[in-house]
Amino acid sequence: MSSHQHSQRRGSGAMEQYFSATQKMEQEVMFPSLLRGVFPQQEGAAPAPGGHTDLYERYQLLKAIKPVVEKGLASVNDPMATVTDADTALDEGTDGNLEERLSHHVNGLQQVLTDLTKNTKALTRRYSQILEQINLSEDQSSS
């Protein structure tokens, strides 16, 4: 019993971290166009295959994903949606490995949320660095 409660809490933790990271990104990245032509740097990692997406495109993607995540989670929490699914599942007698399938999906979702959170935080950090560089060069040119 306690392990179920634990995994549930961990899931909401990943969700909260994702939403707070996304919120921070949306608040801080006032000029997304500064991210054009800037590519993600991963320490000690080769560039991702087809890694031609700059941070501006990644920012647009992260912003576009957010409502999808919110909508998906809302439908999970919608009792009407789950009731009908549960009824058809029971009719078909496919409840044998439901728990297994659910934990598989929950773990997958947590992994995705964790990756999204990392990407979002990294993008926000990079944006701050770009702003600092701009401010530094402005300070130097004015002196």
Side-chain angles (χ1 to χ4, degrees), residues 75-115:
S75 69
V76 167
N77 295 329
D78 177 8
M80 285 315 293
T82 47
V83 166
T84 51
D85 291 347
D87 289 347
T88 50
L90 289 174
D91 292 345
E92 293 160 16
T94 55
D95 56 341
N97 62 347
L98 278 181
E99 196 174 345
E100 202 177 300
R101 279 160 52 202
L102 177 65
S103 78
H104 173 76
H105 284 294
V106 168
N107 288 337
L109 175 65
Q110 284 175 5
Q111 191 56 58
V112 169
L113 285 172
T114 303
D115 289 349

Side-chain angles (χ1 to χ4, degrees), residues 24 52 57 79 81 92 98 110 121 136:
K24 189 175 180 213
H52 298 305
E57 286 177 42
E92 293 160 16
L98 278 181
Q110 284 175 5
K121 286 181 172 172
L136 282 174

